[in-house]
Amino acid sequence: GAMKFTVAIDGPAAAGKGTISRRVAAEFGFAHLDTGLIYRATGARVLEGQDPLRAAEFLRLSDLERDDLRTPDVADAASQVAAIAEVREALVTFQRNFANREGGAVLDGRDIGTVICPEAEVKLFVTATPEIRAERRYQELTARGLDVTREDVLADVKTRDARDASR
Ligand code: DC
C-alpha cells in the first residue's frame, strides 16, 4: 500500500545535512529534497531577469538539476529571494507537496522540522560552528575549481547566518 513518511533534517548551511539526508534516503529508498536548491533555482532565475514570485510559483523539480546552483552568486541570490514572504509561501507549498509524496521523503534545510513539516515522523537537527561549516564549504567550492579564500567563505557564512536569522 501507499505510504507517506517524512524525515525532516534541520540546521544551518554546510553543517552536514546533505550527507546525512542522502544516506537516510538511500538506506530507506525515500526521495530526497535539498530545500536550499529550490531557493537557489529561484535565485538563479532572478539573476536571469525573472520576477522572483513568478520564478518560485513556476518552479519544477527539473529546475533543481541545473549545474550552476552551487556558485556563490546563486547562493547570494537565493538568500535574497528567501527574504521575500510571498516567495517563501510559494516554496513552502512546493516543499509540502514533496513531503506528502508516496513512498517516503527526506527534506533537509532550515525550518523544515519546525515550519515546513511540523508533522514529520522523524526530525533531526544538525549543526556545527561557523568555522567548521565555512571549512566544509571551502573544500566543496575549491574541489569544484572555484577560486575562493577561507576568509571570504567564512565571511559569507556569517553574512548569510545573520540574514537568515533576521527573517
Ligand atoms: O542551504 P543553501 O545554502 O543551499 O540555502 C540557500 C539559501 O536558501 C539560504 O541562504 C536561505 C534559503 N533557504 C531557506 O530559506 N530555507 C531553507 N529550508 C533552505 C534554504
Side-chain angles (χ1 to χ4, degrees):
M3 182 195 68
K4 186 180 91 58
F5 190 98
T6 307
V7 181
I9 305 192
D10 259 277
K17 300 186 301 294
T19 304
I20 292 172
S21 301
R22 280 188 294 275
R23 291 202 189 163
V24 169
E27 177 71 25
F28 296 99
F30 295 166
H32 170 226
L33 179 65
D34 169 352
T35 62
L37 283 184
I38 67 180
Y39 290 89
R40 286 168 181 265
T42 305
R45 287 287 183 93
V46 171
L47 289 178
E48 291 166 353
Q50 261 198 33
D51 171 70
L53 186 53
R54 245 190 106 71
E57 284 176 340
F58 289 90
L59 189 76
R60 291 167 172 268
L61 277 174
S62 59
D63 293 324
L64 312 185
E65 284 155 25
R66 291 175 61 140
D67 60 10
D68 62 346
L69 298 182
R70 298 285 177 195
T71 65
D73 282 353
V74 170
D76 191 57
S79 181
Q80 293 188 41
V81 299
I84 304 170
E86 294 81 1
V87 167
R88 298 193 64 78
E89 269 173 49
L91 296 182
V92 165
T93 302
F94 185 96
Q95 291 167 86
R96 290 193 179 141
N97 288 339
F98 190 93
N100 290 328
R101 63 168 45 208
E102 290 174 8
V106 181
L107 286 82
D108 77 86
R110 274 142 284 178
D111 306 334
I112 299 305
T114 50
V115 178
I116 312 296
C117 301
E119 312 285 306
E121 279 76 10
V122 176
K123 299 179 184 182
L124 303 181
F125 190 91
V126 183
T127 192
T129 64
E131 288 73 18
I132 296 282
R133 289 156 45 216
E135 179 64 22
R136 185 193 308 270
R137 182 79 12 122
Y138 172 79
Q139 297 295 344
E140 286 171 2
L141 293 171
T142 52
R144 292 207 322 276
L146 283 151
D147 184 22
V148 292
T149 67
R150 285 192 162 78
E151 292 69 29
D152 286 347
V153 176
L154 179 58
D156 192 49
V157 162
K158 288 181 172 172
T159 303
R160 290 172 55 206
D161 278 359
R163 193 190 284 142
D164 295 342
S166 65
R167 276 202 313 255

